[in-house]
């Protein structure tokens, strides 16, 4: 059971990581954020990125908060997987 749970959670984290990356890439073409997909991504990703943007100011024109957010998401995934491993094994 643990391996299935590990696959599902890993897949969910990977999908969310790709959503963040797509949202960041959409910022390079502002018209893309006005599409329905852009608005959907904004609804899912912006609440997660907002706290990082509050504490990490942009460096000129470069916003590094999504990079930090991706690292935090990765470490959260590792922590959750370790916790599940301790529970199920």
């Amino acid at each position: 059971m643990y391996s299935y749970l590990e696959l599902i959670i890993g897949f969910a984290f990977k999908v969310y990581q790709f959503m963040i990356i797509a949202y960041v890439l959409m910022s390079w073409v502002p018209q893309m954020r006005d599409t329905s997909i852009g608005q959907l991504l904004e609804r899912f990703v912006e609440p997660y990125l907002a706290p990082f943007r509050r504490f990490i100011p942009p460096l000129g024109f470069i916003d590094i908060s999504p990079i930090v957010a991706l690292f935090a998401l990765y470490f959260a995934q590792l922590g959750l997987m370790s916790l599940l491993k301790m529970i199920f094994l």
Side-chain angles (χ1 to χ4, degrees):
M1 175 169 165
Y2 169 71
S3 62
Y4 291 120
L5 192 58
E6 182 181 21
L7 287 173
I8 291 169
I9 291 173
F11 180 74
F13 272 94
K14 188 61 70 178
V15 166
Y16 198 67
Q17 288 170 355
F18 282 125
M19 288 172 65
I20 292 171
I21 292 169
Y23 183 70
V24 169
L25 291 177
M26 283 182 156
S27 70
W28 294 352
V29 183
Q31 297 85 5
M32 291 185 71
R33 284 201 177 168
D34 295 335
T35 64
S36 60
I37 293 174
Q39 291 173 355
L40 180 69
L41 283 176
E42 182 177 5
R43 204 171 310 137
F44 282 116
V45 173
E46 194 57 43
Y48 177 69
L49 291 179
F52 293 98
R53 289 196 174 126
R54 207 172 317 134
F55 293 110
I56 303 169
L59 300 173
F61 291 110
I62 300 173
D63 183 15
I64 62 167
S65 60
I67 297 169
V68 176
L70 284 171
F71 276 118
L73 191 63
Y74 174 73
F75 288 125
Q77 179 183 3
L78 288 179
L80 182 60
M81 293 298 189
S82 296
L83 185 65
L84 288 174
K85 192 176 286 187
M86 286 191 303
I87 290 172
F88 285 106
L89 294 180

